[in-house]
Amino acid sequence: MTTLLECGPLSAKDGEGRTLFHGARLTLDEGRLALLEGPSGSGKSTLLRQVAALLEAPGASRRLEGEEYGPGRLARWRARVTLAAQDAPVLPGTVAWNLEFPFAFRHARRNECDPAAQRAALDGVGLERLPLDRDVATLSGGERHRLALARALLWDPPVLLADEPLAGLDPDRAALCFERLAEHAHRAGRAVLCVLHEGVMGFSGDRRLRLVDSRLEEA
Amino acid sequence: MGPLIHLQPLDLVVSTMLVVAAGVISVLLRLGIGRRLAVAAVRTVIQLGLIGLVLEKIFALRQAAPVVLLVLLMIFFAGREAVKRTGRRYPSVYLDAWLAMAVSCLAVGGVVTQVVVGVHPWFDPQYVIPLLGMILGNSLTGVALGLDRFLEHLAVRRAEVELRLAFGATRAEALTPPLRDAMRTGMIPILNSMAAAGIVSLPGMMTGQILAGSPPLQAVAYQVVVMFMIAAAVAIGAMLVVLAAGRRLMDADGVLRLEGLQAR
């Protein structure tokens, strides 16, 4: 098994100064779906945001396929180790705009994102009936979450960090979306680390990590 | 054209009766602004009186140093006022506002006074002070509106900014939408007054020149220069302050640092 991503040591405190986790090291293997668990408030989102380099992680090194991404290369890193953030943020505008905007960035790994691919990505998460020109302001919470997941899958990063991607979905749709995540993870050169929301049952990955007592460990 | 009509003390007394009339209306209708009107009227007289005395003195001296000093003071107060009008602040916001105002005002003011109008001597207070005053007064509004909008965008629409970052946007790419938003907001007042100039209102400076006896077309030429210089000063000032704020609040690697950003 090949190690795809190595990141650490990661440490963080919460707003009151209590340690969330200390000296955590994360490794993700190619072709694997890992689930990250832990009680609410244990710092799962913070950990994901640090891995994605959206939060500072002093002293941490970030490696993808053995290649170090240090200062000055973090935008490149995020294009490859992409966070699908909690609450499924969207940009004002159409569904199509929300799917294609990253492909115009300088560090995009490819610049084409044709409507057929966009359509297929939406169909894959059960949004067959959602037109590409719909204004995202009119989407329901569940539709928004699936749109955000479709965007992440279309973007096709080597490592996808998904923070509660199934929130607000009914069981059937949640199962469909989880299947898409697993498919993505199981491809060559890919890996997924996924945090599931509180109370969601019946999903298992290839590996379970737990954030408990300020340590990151195998569950 | 007749000689310039000088205002006598009696003329000021008569105009005082006008503001008293406004006060009477306020009292009759219980608007509750009588007191504020009185204070504002007194402030107007004192502030304008003082600056009048200062200007008389500076005009009489005809030396560079007092003019430069007054301009620097105006920049200082304009920067402070601009920051006062923003809803959020960060630690070095005053420095950024001052630098943005100073650069935009001196660059645009320099071109207008030295090249377009071509004043002699270069510091001639009769031209330099009113022109720079107009630039500062307007770019203050642009800087304040632009900065306020930019900081609000980063705070309120943070999730959108981070969404772009999460998909690999560089700092410049992530900050372009808030920058555009801020520039549009900052430019609205000058765009509005350029569009309305001459149709809805005669701009204040042009009115003043006509009252002072200038031929209308000369006054129009000056007003066009002034409008264009204000547009340039607003654009440059707002852009500089927003670029500076962007660099303070997001590091080169695109990590947002909003800890220092405080709402008031």
Side-chain angles (χ1 to χ4, degrees):
Chain A
M1 207 177 306
T2 333
T3 298
L4 191 59
L5 174 140
E6 296 165 273
C7 184
L10 301 169
S11 302
K13 291 180 161 55
D14 68 8
E16 277 80 54
R18 281 185 305 245
T19 299
L20 287 170
F21 47 85
H22 187 77
R25 288 180 183 277
L26 176 72
T27 59
L28 294 176
D29 294 326
E30 182 182 346
R32 291 290 182 273
L33 170 62
L35 296 184
L36 174 60
E37 301 169 350
S40 88
S42 61
K44 301 185 293 289
S45 290
T46 304
L47 184 89
L48 255 53
R49 286 164 56 77
Q50 281 194 340
V51 175
L54 288 169
L55 275 182
E56 261 191 301
S61 84
R62 296 183 175 86
R63 287 172 175 276
L64 184 68
E65 295 182 287
E67 190 184 343
E68 172 86 32
Y69 287 74
R73 304 193 66 207
L74 294 186
R76 233 175 279 257
W77 168 265
R78 292 185 205 105
R80 288 162 177 77
V81 179
T82 302
L83 173 72
Q86 204 174 10
D87 297 328
V90 290
L91 298 182
T94 63
V95 167
W97 169 241
N98 268 278
L99 290 171
E100 71 200 8
F101 77 84
F103 293 90
F105 292 151
R106 183 143 60 97
H107 294 311
R109 286 160 51 251
R110 56 198 167 86
N111 292 114
E112 81 282 5
C113 172
D114 58 81
Q118 295 179 14
R119 189 69 264 162
L122 291 177
D123 293 352
V125 294
L127 290 173
E128 296 89 349
R129 296 216 287 226
L130 185 67
L132 285 168
D133 59 1
R134 258 282 280 286
D135 183 347
V136 291
T138 66
L139 299 186
S140 71
E143 287 173 321
R144 212 180 67 235
H145 272 88
R146 284 183 286 161
L147 169 60
L149 181 61
R151 167 172 58 213
L153 295 172
L154 184 63
W155 179 240
D156 191 20
V159 176
L160 174 58
L161 309 167
D163 198 349
E164 304 195 348
L166 312 181
L169 301 185
D170 62 50
D172 289 348
R173 283 170 172 153
L176 176 71
C177 288
F178 191 76
E179 205 178 302
R180 289 289 98 79
L181 273 171
E183 272 173 23
H184 180 80
H186 292 154
R187 288 168 47 212
R190 300 287 180 270
V192 172
L193 176 63
C194 181
V195 171
L196 294 180
H197 58 284
E198 206 78 13
V200 69
M201 305 292 261
F203 295 110
S204 56
D206 309 306
R207 181 184 171 203
R208 283 165 65 203
L209 295 166
R210 269 188 81 74
L211 201 50
V212 69
D213 296 334
S214 70
R215 283 203 315 275
L216 180 67
E217 51 194 37
E218 300 287 330
Chain B
M1 205 170 302
L4 200 55
I5 304 169
H6 282 271
L7 290 183
Q8 305 300 324
L10 185 63
D11 303 325
L12 289 176
V13 172
V14 174
S15 73
T16 305
M17 286 161 63
L18 295 176
V19 83
V20 168
V24 169
I25 290 172
S26 157
V27 170
L28 287 180
L29 296 181
R30 296 183 191 168
L31 300 179
I33 54 166
R35 200 186 159 79
R36 282 172 60 191
L37 190 63
V39 172
V42 172
R43 277 190 67 161
T44 305
V45 172
I46 294 176
Q47 285 170 199
L48 291 181
L50 282 177
I51 194 67
L53 289 174
V54 169
L55 289 181
E56 292 264 2
K57 195 80 188 156
I58 289 177
F59 280 29
L61 281 174
R62 293 193 69 80
Q63 284 175 6
V67 177
V68 171
L69 191 70
L70 184 64
V71 167
L72 289 178
L73 262 178
M74 285 157 62
I75 291 174
F76 174 81
F77 282 109
R80 210 178 64 148
E81 185 63 28
V83 175
K84 273 190 184 170
R85 293 186 193 177
T86 59
R88 289 179 175 75
R89 291 179 183 179
Y90 56 93
S92 56
V93 66
Y94 282 102
L95 183 63
D96 293 345
W98 281 322
L99 287 177
M101 300 284 268
V103 172
S104 75
C105 163
L106 295 180
V108 175
V111 170
V112 169
T113 58
Q114 305 309 310
V115 182
V116 179
V117 180
V119 302
H120 288 288
W122 64 268
F123 58 85
D124 187 352
Q126 187 196 338
Y127 292 91
V128 169
I129 291 171
L131 285 170
L132 287 186
M134 272 188 292
I135 296 175
L136 275 171
N138 287 279
S139 84
L140 181 165
T141 312
V143 164
L145 286 173
L147 183 61
D148 182 56
R149 185 57 170 250
F150 184 75
L151 299 180
E152 185 190 277
H153 192 125
L154 285 189
V156 176
R157 297 169 71 178
R158 175 180 186 160
E160 289 172 35
V161 177
E162 288 201 331
L163 173 59
R164 289 189 164 88
L165 290 170
F167 280 78
T170 59
R171 172 164 71 179
E173 286 167 336
L175 288 180
T176 298
L179 181 121
R180 276 201 195 129
D181 187 17
M183 289 298 292
R184 252 184 230 138
T185 307
M187 295 287 289
I188 283 172
I190 180 63
L191 289 177
N192 285 345
S193 48
M194 284 170 83
I199 300 174
V200 182
S201 66
L202 289 185
M205 193 218 63
M206 191 174 125
T207 313
Q209 278 202 317
I210 291 172
L211 284 175
S214 284
L217 278 179
Q218 245 324 280
V220 165
Y222 261 96
Q223 188 63 53
V224 168
V225 168
V226 163
M227 286 286 191
F228 288 1
M229 83 181 183
I230 289 173
V234 168
I236 295 171
M239 192 179 67
L240 286 177
V241 79
V242 164
L243 286 176
R247 295 179 82 88
R248 306 268 187 203
L249 297 170
M250 187 185 286
D251 72 18
D253 259 320
V255 177
L256 272 174
R257 297 172 180 282
L258 300 185
E259 314 83 59
L261 189 61
Q262 306 272 331
R264 291 203 286 138

